[in-house]
Amino acid sequence: MGALRAGRALLGLSQEELASLAGLSRQILVRIEKGEQNVLVESIEKVRAALESGGVVFIDGGPDHGPGVAITRRPREPAPSHGPETV
């Protein structure tokens, strides 16, 4: 469950913040991040969905590399115009 912890770090979230976004208790999130086996798959899916909604992308491992996470770039907002408006 290192990928979930890495995703949380990419977003700069505390365990409490991510647990709240996922609709879980902090204790459940701690168990997920520790890789405990007696955690409901539904709970893991909630954490993943919360991270993905924040822009985290999960990357599958391949023959030359392990799994990982990245964050999507958000489109830049246009710079505000400081000149006179034309109608």
Side-chain angles (χ1 to χ4, degrees), residues 17-49:
E17 290 168 327
L18 178 54
S20 177
L21 289 172
L24 301 171
S25 71
R26 182 182 166 277
Q27 291 79 12
I28 294 294
L29 181 61
V30 168
R31 291 174 49 205
I32 291 170
E33 288 188 351
K34 284 184 176 181
E36 292 186 14
Q37 296 192 6
N38 58 343
V39 177
L40 295 175
V41 172
E42 178 183 320
S43 296
I44 297 169
E45 290 171 351
K46 286 181 178 183
V47 174
R48 182 176 175 141

Side-chain angles (χ1 to χ4, degrees), residues 38-81:
N38 58 343
V39 177
L40 295 175
V41 172
E42 178 183 320
S43 296
I44 297 169
E45 290 171 351
K46 286 181 178 183
V47 174
R48 182 176 175 141
L51 292 170
E52 288 175 336
S53 72
V56 172
V57 177
F58 292 89
I59 303 165
D60 292 331
D64 299 327
H65 60 84
V69 294
I71 191 160
T72 58
R73 292 185 183 198
R74 305 213 187 271
R76 288 187 177 179
E77 293 184 21
S81 173

